[in-house]
Amino acid sequence: HVQLVESGGGSVQAGESLRLSCVASGRIDSTNCMGWFRQVPGKEREPVASIYNRGGHTFYAEGVEGRFTISRDNAENTIYLQMNTLGLEDAAMYYCTAGGCNLYNRYPQSYWGQGTQVTVS
């Protein structure tokens, strides 16, 4: 099992930045990638970004590429999501995820954190 703990959410003005963090513990070696999803009330969770544990290959959802950057610190078992130029459409609960990724599944969904809220006004 893998435990994920997010932090860094908060309230910002449109155009500002935030950086989310996610610390992983447990059987991390059972996964090969980590990522971020987000969800607004009444809508399904949607993928935001992912990064492979080894090699650092990254993937981004349309709409965030160029504004968001996912990165990782393997020594700390931590991933980050740097979010710049936030817009009202980025307001959501952001979830850290971990699991297996491959050519056909770029965003892991085996393990989920509790989420951290991002509010944009």
Side-chain angles (χ1 to χ4, degrees):
H1 199 71
V2 175
Q3 294 79 42
L4 303 169
V5 179
E6 306 98 332
S7 62
S11 297
V12 297
Q13 301 276 336
E16 293 183 340
S17 300
L18 269 180
R19 189 175 83 152
L20 307 182
S21 301
C22 173
V23 180
S25 60
R27 289 291 313 276
I28 302 166
D29 58 348
S30 68
T31 70
N32 74 340
C33 67
M34 294 179 66
W36 295 93
F37 279 68
R38 66 186 182 186
Q39 186 177 29
V40 296
K43 292 189 175 181
E44 292 191 1
R45 292 179 181 179
E46 61 178 16
V48 176
S50 64
I51 185 167
Y52 273 79
N53 294 357
R54 297 183 185 276
H57 233 64
T58 58
F59 298 97
Y60 295 94
E62 192 173 339
V64 306
E65 192 159 16
R67 297 188 299 120
F68 291 11
T69 302
I70 189 170
S71 60
R72 67 180 303 125
D73 181 341
N74 284 341
E76 299 293 332
N77 293 326
T78 300
I79 65 168
Y80 305 96
L81 185 68
Q82 177 66 44
M83 305 185 293
N84 297 329
T85 319
L86 284 161
L88 298 178
E89 70 279 10
D90 298 313
M93 182 71 80
Y94 282 72
Y95 296 91
C96 178
T97 66
C101 293
N102 54 47
L103 181 63
Y104 306 102
N105 178 29
R106 293 180 170 180
Y107 302 96
Q109 299 187 60
S110 297
Y111 303 100
W112 293 75
Q114 293 297 309
T116 185
Q117 183 69 45
V118 172
T119 303
V120 183
S121 60

